[in-house]
Amino acid sequence: MTNDTQIDSVFHAMSDMRRRVLFDRIVRTDGITVAELTEGSGVTQGAVSQHLKVLREADLIQGTPQGRRTLYHARPQGLAPLVDWLAMYETFWPARVAALRDLLKEIDE
């Protein structure tokens, strides 16, 4: 997979709010099953499985079979292509933050 394809894949995976919520839940555990992720999610287990498939394809999570169930773990290194891409624009951020700070100061006065 090329770096551009990886970035597209991560953007696609994270463009859906439910997938971001699932990823956040997975990041906060040492491993979690589809059934546990489905509890309180408001969607069916099948829908959760489809979202997990997209996250797996983006290399953001991995599943580890344990007996009859699969534990899902986050792969934070899967965000690396996105972080690398954003780093190219890092030089613009201080100027933008300073401009925002000045604007907020003007609004307060």
Side-chain angles (χ1 to χ4, degrees), residues 14 16-30 32 37 52 55 60-61 74 79:
M14 292 306 205
D16 185 280
M17 180 199 62
R18 290 196 191 276
R19 285 195 288 270
R20 289 192 304 274
V21 168
L22 288 171
F23 184 71
D24 287 345
R25 288 186 65 194
I26 294 168
V27 165
R28 296 172 201 276
T29 69
D30 290 329
I32 189 166
L37 287 166
L52 292 175
L55 292 169
L60 295 171
I61 64 169
L79 293 170

Side-chain angles (χ1 to χ4, degrees), residues 38-108:
T38 302
E39 287 177 20
S41 69
V43 295
T44 65
Q45 187 167 326
V48 169
S49 292
Q50 288 298 313
H51 288 304
L52 292 175
K53 178 182 177 190
V54 174
L55 292 169
R56 267 195 325 271
E57 289 172 351
D59 205 24
L60 295 171
I61 64 169
Q62 68 181 31
T64 306
Q66 287 200 343
R68 295 174 54 156
R69 61 187 192 154
T70 299
L71 288 179
Y72 289 93
H73 303 271
R75 293 195 73 256
Q77 62 270 37
L79 293 170
L82 184 61
V83 171
D84 292 344
W85 182 78
L86 288 172
M88 291 188 313
Y89 301 99
E90 191 175 13
T91 58
F92 298 111
W93 298 350
R96 300 253 178 185
V97 170
L100 178 60
R101 187 180 310 118
D102 291 345
L103 177 63
L104 292 174
K105 189 175 179 180
E106 283 179 30
I107 291 171
D108 276 348

